[in-house]
mmCIF file of all heavy atoms in Angstrom:
data_model
loop_
_atom_site.group_PDB
_atom_site.id
_atom_site.type_symbol
_atom_site.label_atom_id
_atom_site.label_comp_id
_atom_site.label_asym_id
_atom_site.label_seq_id
_atom_site.Cartn_x
_atom_site.Cartn_y
_atom_site.Cartn_z
ATOM 1 N N TRP A 1 -136.907 -86.379 -129.912
ATOM 2 C CA TRP A 1 -136.691 -87.075 -128.646
ATOM 3 C C TRP A 1 -137.261 -88.485 -128.798
ATOM 4 O O TRP A 1 -138.382 -88.663 -129.306
ATOM 5 C CB TRP A 1 -137.392 -86.366 -127.489
ATOM 6 C CG TRP A 1 -136.683 -85.156 -127.003
ATOM 7 C CD1 TRP A 1 -136.963 -83.854 -127.309
ATOM 8 C CD2 TRP A 1 -135.563 -85.121 -126.102
ATOM 9 N NE1 TRP A 1 -136.092 -83.018 -126.673
ATOM 10 C CE2 TRP A 1 -135.225 -83.771 -125.912
ATOM 11 C CE3 TRP A 1 -134.819 -86.094 -125.440
ATOM 12 C CZ2 TRP A 1 -134.175 -83.366 -125.090
ATOM 13 C CZ3 TRP A 1 -133.785 -85.697 -124.626
ATOM 14 C CH2 TRP A 1 -133.467 -84.337 -124.459
ATOM 15 N N TYR A 2 -136.481 -89.455 -128.356
ATOM 16 C CA TYR A 2 -136.871 -90.863 -128.373
ATOM 17 C C TYR A 2 -136.694 -91.415 -126.962
ATOM 18 O O TYR A 2 -135.987 -90.813 -126.138
ATOM 19 C CB TYR A 2 -135.998 -91.661 -129.342
ATOM 20 C CG TYR A 2 -136.176 -91.290 -130.795
ATOM 21 C CD1 TYR A 2 -135.690 -90.095 -131.295
ATOM 22 C CD2 TYR A 2 -136.841 -92.143 -131.676
ATOM 23 C CE1 TYR A 2 -135.854 -89.741 -132.631
ATOM 24 C CE2 TYR A 2 -137.009 -91.814 -133.013
ATOM 25 C CZ TYR A 2 -136.511 -90.613 -133.476
ATOM 26 O OH TYR A 2 -136.671 -90.272 -134.803
ATOM 27 N N ARG A 3 -137.282 -92.565 -126.710
ATOM 28 C CA ARG A 3 -137.074 -93.217 -125.413
ATOM 29 C C ARG A 3 -137.025 -94.727 -125.595
ATOM 30 O O ARG A 3 -137.598 -95.266 -126.544
ATOM 31 C CB ARG A 3 -138.147 -92.817 -124.417
ATOM 32 C CG ARG A 3 -139.547 -93.320 -124.744
ATOM 33 C CD ARG A 3 -140.556 -92.743 -123.754
ATOM 34 N NE ARG A 3 -141.920 -93.210 -124.009
ATOM 35 C CZ ARG A 3 -142.989 -92.758 -123.366
ATOM 36 N NH1 ARG A 3 -142.852 -91.822 -122.416
ATOM 37 N NH2 ARG A 3 -144.180 -93.237 -123.650
ATOM 38 N N GLN A 4 -136.344 -95.357 -124.667
ATOM 39 C CA GLN A 4 -136.227 -96.813 -124.689
ATOM 40 C C GLN A 4 -136.311 -97.338 -123.271
ATOM 41 O O GLN A 4 -135.467 -97.011 -122.426
ATOM 42 C CB GLN A 4 -134.919 -97.253 -125.342
ATOM 43 C CG GLN A 4 -134.821 -98.747 -125.567
ATOM 44 C CD GLN A 4 -133.679 -99.126 -126.480
ATOM 45 O OE1 GLN A 4 -132.749 -98.351 -126.708
ATOM 46 N NE2 GLN A 4 -133.744 -100.320 -127.039
ATOM 47 N N ALA A 5 -137.344 -98.129 -123.032
ATOM 48 C CA ALA A 5 -137.510 -98.779 -121.735
ATOM 49 C C ALA A 5 -136.823 -100.139 -121.783
ATOM 50 O O ALA A 5 -136.636 -100.715 -122.864
ATOM 51 C CB ALA A 5 -138.995 -98.940 -121.424
ATOM 52 N N PRO A 6 -136.450 -100.680 -120.626
ATOM 53 C CA PRO A 6 -135.778 -101.986 -120.595
ATOM 54 C C PRO A 6 -136.607 -103.056 -121.296
ATOM 55 O O PRO A 6 -137.812 -103.187 -121.054
ATOM 56 C CB PRO A 6 -135.644 -102.277 -119.105
ATOM 57 C CG PRO A 6 -135.628 -100.934 -118.463
ATOM 58 C CD PRO A 6 -136.555 -100.083 -119.281
ATOM 59 N N GLY A 7 -135.966 -103.795 -122.195
ATOM 60 C CA GLY A 7 -136.651 -104.872 -122.890
ATOM 61 C C GLY A 7 -137.554 -104.439 -124.018
ATOM 62 O O GLY A 7 -138.244 -105.270 -124.623
ATOM 63 N N LYS A 8 -137.579 -103.138 -124.310
ATOM 64 C CA LYS A 8 -138.453 -102.631 -125.367
ATOM 65 C C LYS A 8 -137.634 -101.931 -126.438
ATOM 66 O O LYS A 8 -136.486 -101.538 -126.215
ATOM 67 C CB LYS A 8 -139.487 -101.669 -124.788
ATOM 68 C CG LYS A 8 -140.477 -102.333 -123.833
ATOM 69 C CD LYS A 8 -141.584 -101.378 -123.450
ATOM 70 C CE LYS A 8 -142.618 -102.067 -122.575
ATOM 71 N NZ LYS A 8 -143.735 -101.144 -122.203
ATOM 72 N N GLN A 9 -138.264 -101.757 -127.595
ATOM 73 C CA GLN A 9 -137.602 -101.042 -128.679
ATOM 74 C C GLN A 9 -137.623 -99.542 -128.413
ATOM 75 O O GLN A 9 -138.500 -99.023 -127.716
ATOM 76 C CB GLN A 9 -138.304 -101.346 -130.004
ATOM 77 C CG GLN A 9 -138.075 -102.747 -130.525
ATOM 78 C CD GLN A 9 -138.566 -102.932 -131.948
ATOM 79 O OE1 GLN A 9 -139.533 -102.294 -132.370
ATOM 80 N NE2 GLN A 9 -137.898 -103.781 -132.707
ATOM 81 N N ARG A 10 -136.649 -98.856 -129.000
ATOM 82 C CA ARG A 10 -136.627 -97.406 -128.909
ATOM 83 C C ARG A 10 -137.821 -96.856 -129.689
ATOM 84 O O ARG A 10 -138.115 -97.313 -130.785
ATOM 85 C CB ARG A 10 -135.322 -96.862 -129.474
ATOM 86 C CG ARG A 10 -135.072 -95.400 -129.184
ATOM 87 C CD ARG A 10 -133.651 -94.994 -129.544
ATOM 88 N NE ARG A 10 -132.665 -95.695 -128.723
ATOM 89 C CZ ARG A 10 -131.365 -95.392 -128.725
ATOM 90 N NH1 ARG A 10 -130.909 -94.418 -129.503
ATOM 91 N NH2 ARG A 10 -130.529 -96.075 -127.977
ATOM 92 N N GLU A 11 -138.490 -95.878 -129.107
ATOM 93 C CA GLU A 11 -139.677 -95.320 -129.745
ATOM 94 C C GLU A 11 -139.599 -93.805 -129.807
ATOM 95 O O GLU A 11 -138.994 -93.156 -128.957
ATOM 96 C CB GLU A 11 -140.953 -95.732 -128.986
ATOM 97 C CG GLU A 11 -141.045 -95.213 -127.570
ATOM 98 C CD GLU A 11 -142.367 -95.554 -126.897
ATOM 99 O OE1 GLU A 11 -143.221 -96.223 -127.519
ATOM 100 O OE2 GLU A 11 -142.551 -95.146 -125.737
ATOM 101 N N LEU A 12 -140.259 -93.263 -130.834
ATOM 102 C CA LEU A 12 -140.307 -91.820 -131.010
ATOM 103 C C LEU A 12 -141.229 -91.208 -129.967
ATOM 104 O O LEU A 12 -142.330 -91.704 -129.728
ATOM 105 C CB LEU A 12 -140.811 -91.491 -132.407
ATOM 106 C CG LEU A 12 -141.033 -90.023 -132.719
ATOM 107 C CD1 LEU A 12 -139.715 -89.282 -132.769
ATOM 108 C CD2 LEU A 12 -141.785 -89.859 -134.028
ATOM 109 N N VAL A 13 -140.771 -90.118 -129.356
ATOM 110 C CA VAL A 13 -141.592 -89.371 -128.409
ATOM 111 C C VAL A 13 -142.134 -88.106 -129.055
ATOM 112 O O VAL A 13 -143.337 -87.844 -129.017
ATOM 113 C CB VAL A 13 -140.791 -89.023 -127.143
ATOM 114 C CG1 VAL A 13 -141.621 -88.151 -126.210
ATOM 115 C CG2 VAL A 13 -140.319 -90.292 -126.443
ATOM 116 N N ALA A 14 -141.238 -87.327 -129.643
ATOM 117 C CA ALA A 14 -141.654 -86.053 -130.241
ATOM 118 C C ALA A 14 -140.592 -85.568 -131.204
ATOM 119 O O ALA A 14 -139.414 -85.911 -131.058
ATOM 120 C CB ALA A 14 -141.881 -84.996 -129.155
ATOM 121 N N THR A 15 -141.020 -84.787 -132.177
ATOM 122 C CA THR A 15 -140.087 -84.142 -133.095
ATOM 123 C C THR A 15 -140.468 -82.683 -133.277
ATOM 124 O O THR A 15 -141.627 -82.294 -133.071
ATOM 125 C CB THR A 15 -140.057 -84.810 -134.481
ATOM 126 O OG1 THR A 15 -141.379 -84.743 -135.051
ATOM 127 C CG2 THR A 15 -139.599 -86.249 -134.411
ATOM 128 N N ILE A 16 -139.473 -81.883 -133.674
ATOM 129 C CA ILE A 16 -139.718 -80.487 -133.991
ATOM 130 C C ILE A 16 -138.883 -80.139 -135.215
ATOM 131 O O ILE A 16 -137.682 -80.420 -135.256
ATOM 132 C CB ILE A 16 -139.407 -79.564 -132.791
ATOM 133 C CG1 ILE A 16 -139.760 -78.114 -133.123
ATOM 134 C CG2 ILE A 16 -137.967 -79.697 -132.314
ATOM 135 C CD1 ILE A 16 -139.800 -77.209 -131.878
ATOM 136 N N THR A 17 -139.532 -79.568 -136.219
ATOM 137 C CA THR A 17 -138.826 -79.239 -137.451
ATOM 138 C C THR A 17 -138.085 -77.920 -137.313
ATOM 139 O O THR A 17 -138.219 -77.194 -136.320
ATOM 140 C CB THR A 17 -139.810 -79.129 -138.623
ATOM 141 O OG1 THR A 17 -140.635 -77.958 -138.423
ATOM 142 C CG2 THR A 17 -140.685 -80.359 -138.735
ATOM 143 N N ARG A 18 -137.324 -77.588 -138.344
ATOM 144 C CA ARG A 18 -136.607 -76.315 -138.347
ATOM 145 C C ARG A 18 -137.572 -75.146 -138.298
ATOM 146 O O ARG A 18 -137.227 -74.072 -137.815
ATOM 147 C CB ARG A 18 -135.713 -76.233 -139.580
ATOM 148 C CG ARG A 18 -136.437 -76.398 -140.885
ATOM 149 C CD ARG A 18 -135.495 -76.556 -142.067
ATOM 150 N NE ARG A 18 -134.759 -75.330 -142.348
ATOM 151 C CZ ARG A 18 -133.895 -75.207 -143.347
ATOM 152 N NH1 ARG A 18 -133.645 -76.235 -144.137
ATOM 153 N NH2 ARG A 18 -133.264 -74.071 -143.549
ATOM 154 N N ALA A 19 -138.785 -75.360 -138.797
ATOM 155 C CA ALA A 19 -139.795 -74.303 -138.786
ATOM 156 C C ALA A 19 -140.586 -74.257 -137.490
ATOM 157 O O ALA A 19 -141.439 -73.387 -137.316
ATOM 158 C CB ALA A 19 -140.756 -74.496 -139.960
ATOM 159 N N GLY A 20 -140.328 -75.217 -136.609
ATOM 160 C CA GLY A 20 -141.031 -75.235 -135.329
ATOM 161 C C GLY A 20 -142.287 -76.085 -135.312
ATOM 162 O O GLY A 20 -143.020 -76.067 -134.320
ATOM 163 N N ASN A 21 -142.529 -76.839 -136.369
ATOM 164 C CA ASN A 21 -143.675 -77.731 -136.370
ATOM 165 C C ASN A 21 -143.381 -78.954 -135.513
ATOM 166 O O ASN A 21 -142.287 -79.519 -135.586
ATOM 167 C CB ASN A 21 -144.014 -78.165 -137.792
ATOM 168 C CG ASN A 21 -144.398 -76.987 -138.663
ATOM 169 O OD1 ASN A 21 -145.210 -76.151 -138.276
ATOM 170 N ND2 ASN A 21 -143.796 -76.900 -139.847
ATOM 171 N N THR A 22 -144.356 -79.360 -134.730
ATOM 172 C CA THR A 22 -144.134 -80.433 -133.767
ATOM 173 C C THR A 22 -145.024 -81.640 -134.055
ATOM 174 O O THR A 22 -146.087 -81.529 -134.669
ATOM 175 C CB THR A 22 -144.413 -79.945 -132.334
ATOM 176 O OG1 THR A 22 -145.758 -79.459 -132.255
ATOM 177 C CG2 THR A 22 -143.446 -78.847 -131.948
ATOM 178 N N ASN A 23 -144.563 -82.777 -133.575
ATOM 179 C CA ASN A 23 -145.296 -84.028 -133.708
ATOM 180 C C ASN A 23 -145.044 -84.843 -132.447
ATOM 181 O O ASN A 23 -143.924 -84.830 -131.920
ATOM 182 C CB ASN A 23 -144.814 -84.803 -134.935
ATOM 183 C CG ASN A 23 -145.566 -86.095 -135.128
ATOM 184 O OD1 ASN A 23 -146.780 -86.097 -135.240
ATOM 185 N ND2 ASN A 23 -144.852 -87.211 -135.148
ATOM 186 N N TYR A 24 -146.090 -85.526 -131.951
ATOM 187 C CA TYR A 24 -145.969 -86.262 -130.690
ATOM 188 C C TYR A 24 -146.527 -87.677 -130.824
ATOM 189 O O TYR A 24 -147.493 -87.910 -131.561
ATOM 190 C CB TYR A 24 -146.754 -85.551 -129.576
ATOM 191 C CG TYR A 24 -146.243 -84.182 -129.243
ATOM 192 C CD1 TYR A 24 -146.759 -83.052 -129.862
ATOM 193 C CD2 TYR A 24 -145.226 -84.018 -128.302
ATOM 194 C CE1 TYR A 24 -146.295 -81.791 -129.562
ATOM 195 C CE2 TYR A 24 -144.744 -82.756 -127.992
ATOM 196 C CZ TYR A 24 -145.281 -81.654 -128.627
ATOM 197 O OH TYR A 24 -144.805 -80.403 -128.327
ATOM 198 N N ALA A 25 -145.938 -88.583 -130.066
ATOM 199 C CA ALA A 25 -146.534 -89.905 -129.919
ATOM 200 C C ALA A 25 -147.860 -89.741 -129.176
ATOM 201 O O ALA A 25 -148.001 -88.878 -128.306
ATOM 202 C CB ALA A 25 -145.604 -90.815 -129.134
ATOM 203 N N ASP A 26 -148.816 -90.593 -129.517
ATOM 204 C CA ASP A 26 -150.131 -90.492 -128.878
ATOM 205 C C ASP A 26 -150.027 -90.614 -127.364
ATOM 206 O O ASP A 26 -150.791 -89.981 -126.628
ATOM 207 C CB ASP A 26 -151.054 -91.583 -129.417
ATOM 208 C CG ASP A 26 -151.517 -91.314 -130.844
ATOM 209 O OD1 ASP A 26 -151.390 -90.158 -131.304
ATOM 210 O OD2 ASP A 26 -151.994 -92.257 -131.494
ATOM 211 N N SER A 27 -149.072 -91.399 -126.895
ATOM 212 C CA SER A 27 -148.956 -91.673 -125.463
ATOM 213 C C SER A 27 -148.530 -90.456 -124.659
ATOM 214 O O SER A 27 -148.686 -90.443 -123.429
ATOM 215 C CB SER A 27 -147.977 -92.818 -125.223
ATOM 216 O OG SER A 27 -146.703 -92.499 -125.754
ATOM 217 N N VAL A 28 -147.987 -89.433 -125.317
ATOM 218 C CA VAL A 28 -147.497 -88.256 -124.580
ATOM 219 C C VAL A 28 -148.223 -86.976 -124.949
ATOM 220 O O VAL A 28 -147.970 -85.926 -124.346
ATOM 221 C CB VAL A 28 -145.981 -88.065 -124.763
ATOM 222 C CG1 VAL A 28 -145.226 -89.347 -124.408
ATOM 223 C CG2 VAL A 28 -145.640 -87.611 -126.180
ATOM 224 N N LYS A 29 -149.120 -87.042 -125.922
ATOM 225 C CA LYS A 29 -149.840 -85.835 -126.340
ATOM 226 C C LYS A 29 -150.581 -85.211 -125.169
ATOM 227 O O LYS A 29 -151.226 -85.904 -124.383
ATOM 228 C CB LYS A 29 -150.844 -86.181 -127.448
ATOM 229 C CG LYS A 29 -150.226 -86.302 -128.819
ATOM 230 C CD LYS A 29 -151.274 -86.620 -129.869
ATOM 231 C CE LYS A 29 -150.651 -86.781 -131.240
ATOM 232 N NZ LYS A 29 -151.636 -87.197 -132.263
ATOM 233 N N GLY A 30 -150.447 -83.901 -125.059
ATOM 234 C CA GLY A 30 -151.111 -83.184 -123.978
ATOM 235 C C GLY A 30 -150.323 -83.153 -122.689
ATOM 236 O O GLY A 30 -150.670 -82.417 -121.758
ATOM 237 N N ARG A 31 -149.255 -83.945 -122.600
ATOM 238 C CA ARG A 31 -148.432 -83.979 -121.375
ATOM 239 C C ARG A 31 -147.008 -83.486 -121.622
ATOM 240 O O ARG A 31 -146.413 -82.865 -120.753
ATOM 241 C CB ARG A 31 -148.371 -85.404 -120.817
ATOM 242 C CG ARG A 31 -149.719 -85.991 -120.454
ATOM 243 C CD ARG A 31 -149.566 -87.323 -119.726
ATOM 244 N NE ARG A 31 -148.919 -88.347 -120.543
ATOM 245 C CZ ARG A 31 -147.804 -88.979 -120.189
ATOM 246 N NH1 ARG A 31 -147.207 -88.705 -119.030
ATOM 247 N NH2 ARG A 31 -147.289 -89.915 -120.988
ATOM 248 N N PHE A 32 -146.478 -83.783 -122.799
ATOM 249 C CA PHE A 32 -145.096 -83.407 -123.137
ATOM 250 C C PHE A 32 -145.111 -82.283 -124.167
ATOM 251 O O PHE A 32 -145.989 -82.231 -125.032
ATOM 252 C CB PHE A 32 -144.349 -84.593 -123.723
ATOM 253 C CG PHE A 32 -144.039 -85.715 -122.768
ATOM 254 C CD1 PHE A 32 -144.599 -85.768 -121.499
ATOM 255 C CD2 PHE A 32 -143.156 -86.719 -123.143
ATOM 256 C CE1 PHE A 32 -144.307 -86.808 -120.627
ATOM 257 C CE2 PHE A 32 -142.854 -87.765 -122.294
ATOM 258 C CZ PHE A 32 -143.433 -87.810 -121.034
ATOM 259 N N THR A 33 -144.094 -81.425 -124.085
ATOM 260 C CA THR A 33 -143.934 -80.348 -125.058
ATOM 261 C C THR A 33 -142.481 -80.281 -125.498
ATOM 262 O O THR A 33 -141.583 -80.158 -124.660
ATOM 263 C CB THR A 33 -144.342 -78.995 -124.462
ATOM 264 O OG1 THR A 33 -145.699 -79.049 -124.010
ATOM 265 C CG2 THR A 33 -144.218 -77.889 -125.509
ATOM 266 N N ILE A 34 -142.273 -80.353 -126.797
ATOM 267 C CA ILE A 34 -140.931 -80.203 -127.355
ATOM 268 C C ILE A 34 -140.761 -78.765 -127.836
ATOM 269 O O ILE A 34 -141.710 -78.159 -128.370
ATOM 270 C CB ILE A 34 -140.683 -81.210 -128.506
ATOM 271 C CG1 ILE A 34 -139.221 -81.203 -128.941
ATOM 272 C CG2 ILE A 34 -141.625 -80.971 -129.676
ATOM 273 C CD1 ILE A 34 -138.863 -82.322 -129.917
ATOM 274 N N SER A 35 -139.568 -78.222 -127.625
ATOM 275 C CA SER A 35 -139.289 -76.867 -128.084
ATOM 276 C C SER A 35 -137.809 -76.773 -128.410
ATOM 277 O O SER A 35 -137.033 -77.672 -128.075
ATOM 278 C CB SER A 35 -139.682 -75.830 -127.024
ATOM 279 O OG SER A 35 -138.946 -76.017 -125.835
ATOM 280 N N ARG A 36 -137.432 -75.691 -129.057
ATOM 281 C CA ARG A 36 -136.023 -75.524 -129.412
ATOM 282 C C ARG A 36 -135.638 -74.065 -129.285
ATOM 283 O O ARG A 36 -136.464 -73.158 -129.447
ATOM 284 C CB ARG A 36 -135.769 -76.028 -130.833
ATOM 285 C CG ARG A 36 -136.448 -75.250 -131.941
ATOM 286 C CD ARG A 36 -136.343 -75.980 -133.284
ATOM 287 N NE ARG A 36 -134.963 -76.150 -133.722
ATOM 288 C CZ ARG A 36 -134.560 -77.054 -134.609
ATOM 289 N NH1 ARG A 36 -135.442 -77.870 -135.158
ATOM 290 N NH2 ARG A 36 -133.291 -77.127 -134.952
ATOM 291 N N ASP A 37 -134.351 -73.863 -129.016
ATOM 292 C CA ASP A 37 -133.764 -72.533 -128.972
ATOM 293 C C ASP A 37 -132.559 -72.575 -129.889
ATOM 294 O O ASP A 37 -131.494 -73.077 -129.503
ATOM 295 C CB ASP A 37 -133.372 -72.162 -127.536
ATOM 296 C CG ASP A 37 -132.864 -70.743 -127.417
ATOM 297 O OD1 ASP A 37 -132.419 -70.160 -128.428
ATOM 298 O OD2 ASP A 37 -132.893 -70.207 -126.292
ATOM 299 N N ASN A 38 -132.719 -72.060 -131.094
ATOM 300 C CA ASN A 38 -131.638 -72.150 -132.077
ATOM 301 C C ASN A 38 -130.438 -71.294 -131.671
ATOM 302 O O ASN A 38 -129.309 -71.597 -132.065
ATOM 303 C CB ASN A 38 -132.139 -71.743 -133.458
ATOM 304 C CG ASN A 38 -133.092 -72.772 -134.062
ATOM 305 O OD1 ASN A 38 -133.062 -73.946 -133.691
ATOM 306 N ND2 ASN A 38 -133.925 -72.323 -134.976
ATOM 307 N N ALA A 39 -130.667 -70.252 -130.907
ATOM 308 C CA ALA A 39 -129.553 -69.419 -130.462
ATOM 309 C C ALA A 39 -128.658 -70.167 -129.486
ATOM 310 O O ALA A 39 -127.460 -69.872 -129.372
ATOM 311 C CB ALA A 39 -130.077 -68.147 -129.810
ATOM 312 N N LYS A 40 -129.239 -71.148 -128.793
ATOM 313 C CA LYS A 40 -128.475 -71.940 -127.817
ATOM 314 C C LYS A 40 -128.165 -73.341 -128.327
ATOM 315 O O LYS A 40 -127.614 -74.156 -127.589
ATOM 316 C CB LYS A 40 -129.255 -72.033 -126.504
ATOM 317 C CG LYS A 40 -129.429 -70.700 -125.797
ATOM 318 C CD LYS A 40 -130.160 -70.876 -124.469
ATOM 319 C CE LYS A 40 -130.297 -69.549 -123.743
ATOM 320 N NZ LYS A 40 -130.997 -69.702 -122.447
ATOM 321 N N ASN A 41 -128.557 -73.628 -129.570
ATOM 322 C CA ASN A 41 -128.341 -74.970 -130.137
ATOM 323 C C ASN A 41 -128.886 -76.054 -129.213
ATOM 324 O O ASN A 41 -128.244 -77.099 -129.008
ATOM 325 C CB ASN A 41 -126.841 -75.221 -130.406
ATOM 326 C CG ASN A 41 -126.318 -74.445 -131.591
ATOM 327 O OD1 ASN A 41 -127.058 -73.723 -132.257
ATOM 328 N ND2 ASN A 41 -125.040 -74.569 -131.851
ATOM 329 N N THR A 42 -130.061 -75.824 -128.687
ATOM 330 C CA THR A 42 -130.619 -76.720 -127.679
ATOM 331 C C THR A 42 -132.074 -77.045 -127.982
ATOM 332 O O THR A 42 -132.840 -76.159 -128.391
ATOM 333 C CB THR A 42 -130.505 -76.094 -126.277
ATOM 334 O OG1 THR A 42 -129.124 -75.838 -125.988
ATOM 335 C CG2 THR A 42 -131.061 -77.017 -125.208
#
């Protein structure tokens, strides 16, 4: 997941690997959670 605010560059928010390992931008740690459902391709 990435985000882009007006007038700013697109920035990484969070990633999740095929194994379910996650990584977060410092600005969202503790507030945002990334997850995936491979059965739903979502």
